[in-house]
């Protein structure tokens, strides 16, 4: 019998100033794991960001087992370009020694696949590749994921991977793998949608899922269309089966939707998914860490959210300036956001349960505009999440920012980008203001205003 081919799949650790596991799972890599498993390969999988891995629980034993939570971290020396920044730089996730110990326990792979997240997390990716190359010098490594796609040339030049894979075309990936492993995968049928292979985790606190790819909008600061050019919504029944499958198989109650466009085409998509789920006698929690699009939220949908147990729904406003709303893509306006908040309140959500995302630090955005946006969002009596702008290469806003062509992607980090222009303290003041207004909201009758 032919020996089964062994594939090792790795999600690297992260270097950042701040990082929190807000339902972050490497869905792309987990889909690839399922694909390769279906094709008969043996899979080894190491997620260096798995907070619930038995080896990680030894470091931080008091983990919140149910959902999002804090990563274990170690403070490291800052890269020299960040010397002036008054914050600690950390490596989040598995310490390298634990990763190397795990490698000792697995069979030698025939092929290695490494994923990558944000462009400014590339340092962790490079370190993982270096460790793997030292241990398995003759084994080909393919690097893919968001950084590899958005910053392809950088990854090609600096990552140390043997192959850098741009995008998410699995047929192309199988063609490449076929060449490397000297096997013909070309006749293989790829399932229209592969459930991410969450069974590979020793313990699952939550499941992150996508019900669609692409986005019907094209906001000037967002790189979504560079990653997924066409909009496709999955069959609602299939999404429902995925949720029920993981609930029954892995006993998971918490589900996080990754889609920004989750509410697009609501009558034919999200409403059907939720009505279908409500037909089953299951008690689940749903989370939307990405901002939802207010223009698709109507009264019926708000009630369905409440009934299906959507926890703390968050809406994307980004700015209260009507002018900037228009020039950045027109996905939302003040009327739609106010209406959406009202629908959620009528459905039974309290003020502090509803969240609005704002963006600060967009090129050309004045401090006065951000301040007005903070006051406007708080006037709706909701919790406001003030996010720092992170420049995404290839987007119109990246061009507007007039960044040096060879800017080190470490500067894309939303925690430091405002500093790039030397405005750290002014941004900090706005964050403090927002924090104070959020505290005030919670103090008022426990948020039930
Ligand atoms: C879910 C999500 C989040 C979640 C979870 C993030 C996380 N850490 O995982 C939350 C809400 C927390 C979040 C927050 C932020 N996010 Co976000 N987020 C996303 C989103 C919507 C989906 C990512 C994802 O999992 N996709 C699903 C899978 C299917 O795609 P994938 O992993 O890329 O995999 C595909 C391919 O790449 C390939 N592939 C993947 N791995 C591998 C490996 C190999 C070997 C191969 C061959 C192929 C391959 O296969 C897949 C096939 O489709 C993306 C947009 C997008 N469309 O991807 C933005 C995105 C990644 N986020 C972005 C940004 C800017 C942010 C924030 C900074 C926003 C802010 N200003 O606060 C914060 C940062 C928070 C943090 N520090 O993590 C940017 C990244 C920009 C950058 N410079 O890299 C993106 C691209 C969106 C955008 N605005 O343009 N985000
Ligand atoms: S609606 Fe959201 S996902 Fe779509 S382009 Fe705008 S910011 Fe990106």
């Amino acid at each position: 019998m032919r020996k089964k081919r062994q594939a090792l799949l790795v999600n690297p650790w992260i270097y950042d100033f701040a990082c929190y596991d807000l339902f972050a799972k490497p869905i792309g890599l987990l889909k690839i794991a399922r694909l390769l498993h279906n094709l008969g390969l043996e899979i080894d999988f190491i997620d260096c960001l798995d907070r619930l891995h038995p080896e990680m629980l030894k470091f931080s034993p008091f983990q919140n087992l149910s959902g999002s939570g804090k990563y274990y971290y170690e403070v490291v020396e800052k890269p020299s370009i960040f010397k002036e920044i008054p914050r600690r730089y950390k490596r989040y996730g598995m310490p390298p020694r634990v990763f190397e110990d795990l490698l000792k326990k697995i069979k030698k792979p025939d092929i290695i696949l490494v994923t990558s997240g944000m462009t400014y997390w590339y340092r962790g990716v490079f370190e993982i590749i270096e460790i793997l190359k030292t241990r398995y010098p003759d084994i080909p490594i393919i690097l893919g994921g968001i950084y590899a796609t958005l910053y392809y040339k950088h990854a090609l030049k600096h990552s140390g991977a043997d192959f850098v894979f741009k995008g998410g075309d699995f047929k192309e990936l199988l063609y490449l793998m076929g060449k490397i492993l000297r096997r013909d995968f070309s006749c293989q049928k790829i399932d229209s949608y592969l459930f991410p292979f969450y069974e590979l985790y020793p313990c699952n606190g939550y499941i992150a899922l996508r019900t669609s790819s692409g986005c019907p909008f094209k906001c000037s600061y967002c790189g979504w269309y560079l990653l997924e050019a066409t909009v496709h919504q999955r069959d609602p029944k299939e999404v429902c089966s995925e949720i029920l499958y993981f609930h029954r198989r892995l006993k998971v109650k918490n589900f996080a939707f990754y889609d920004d466009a989750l509410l697009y085409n609501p009558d034919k998509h999200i409403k059907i998914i939720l009505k279908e789920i409500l037909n089953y006698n299951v008690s689940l929690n749903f989370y939307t860490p990405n901002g939802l699009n207010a223009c698709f939220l109507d009264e019926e949908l708000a009630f369905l959210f409440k009934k299906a147990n959507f926890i703390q729904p968050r809406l994307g406003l980004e700015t209260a300036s009507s002018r900037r709303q228009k020039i950045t893509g027109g996905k939302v306006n003040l009327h739609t956001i106010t209406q959406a908040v009202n629908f959620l309140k009528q459905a039974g959500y309290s003020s502090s349960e509803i969240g609005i995302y704002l963006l600060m630090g967009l090129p050309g955005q004045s401090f006065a505009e951000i301040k007005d946006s903070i006051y406007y969002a708080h006037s709706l009596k909701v919790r406001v999440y003030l996010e720092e702008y992170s420049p995404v290469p290839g987007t119109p806003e990246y061009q507007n920012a007039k960044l040096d062509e060879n800017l080190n992607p470490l500067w894309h980090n939303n925690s430091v980008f405002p500093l790039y222009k030397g405005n750290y303290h002014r941004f900090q003041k706005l964050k403090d203001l927002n924090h104070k207004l959020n505290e005030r909201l919670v103090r008022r009758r426990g948020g039930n205003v």
Side-chain angles (χ1 to χ4, degrees), residues 16 18-19 22-25 27-29 31-32 113-121 142-146 149-150 165 167-168 170 173 210 221-224 227-228 258 289-290 359 387-393 412 414:
D16 209 325
C19 201
L22 189 64
F23 307 101
K25 283 280 178 274
I27 301 193
L29 192 68
K31 283 169 70 175
I32 293 172
L113 294 102
V114 177
T115 192
S116 58
M118 308 288 159
T119 49
Y120 48 84
W121 289 345
I142 309 179
L143 169 65
I146 293 168
T149 302
L150 290 177
F165 191 84
F170 290 158
L173 175 62
R210 297 276 305 265
Y221 45 81
C222 179
W224 200 300
L227 293 159
E228 297 160 6
Y258 267 8
N290 263 311
L359 257 184
E387 306 288 343
E388 294 106 332
Y389 166 65
S390 160
V392 184
H412 299 166
N414 60 323

Side-chain angles (χ1 to χ4, degrees), residues 214-219 221-225 260-261 291 293 318 328 331:
C215 175
F217 293 93
K218 216 171 167 187
C219 301
Y221 45 81
C222 179
W224 200 300
Y225 71 97
D260 247 40
N293 203 312
E318 326 306 356
T328 52
K331 72 169 175 179

Side-chain angles (χ1 to χ4, degrees), residues 33-48:
R34 175 87 64 192
L35 172 71
L36 301 185
H37 169 78
N38 291 352
L39 294 178
L41 276 83
E42 291 272 4
I43 307 292
D44 277 303
F45 172 66
I46 305 180
D47 182 351
C48 301

Side-chain angles (χ1 to χ4, degrees), residues 13-82:
W13 48 71
I14 288 169
Y15 285 94
D16 209 325
F17 291 94
C19 201
Y20 182 81
D21 178 5
L22 189 64
F23 307 101
K25 283 280 178 274
I27 301 193
L29 192 68
L30 289 166
K31 283 169 70 175
I32 293 172
R34 175 87 64 192
L35 172 71
L36 301 185
H37 169 78
N38 291 352
L39 294 178
L41 276 83
E42 291 272 4
I43 307 292
D44 277 303
F45 172 66
I46 305 180
D47 182 351
C48 301
L49 295 175
D50 179 10
R51 293 176 13 251
L52 306 184
H53 192 287
E55 293 301 322
M56 291 313 295
L57 288 173
K58 291 179 193 161
F59 289 93
S60 32
F62 305 111
Q63 284 287 11
N64 165 11
L65 295 181
S66 60
S68 56
K70 285 184 182 164
Y71 288 118
Y72 170 78
Y73 68 78
E74 291 177 1
V75 177
V76 298
E77 202 178 320
K78 268 182 279 203
S80 55
I81 57 165
F82 292 154

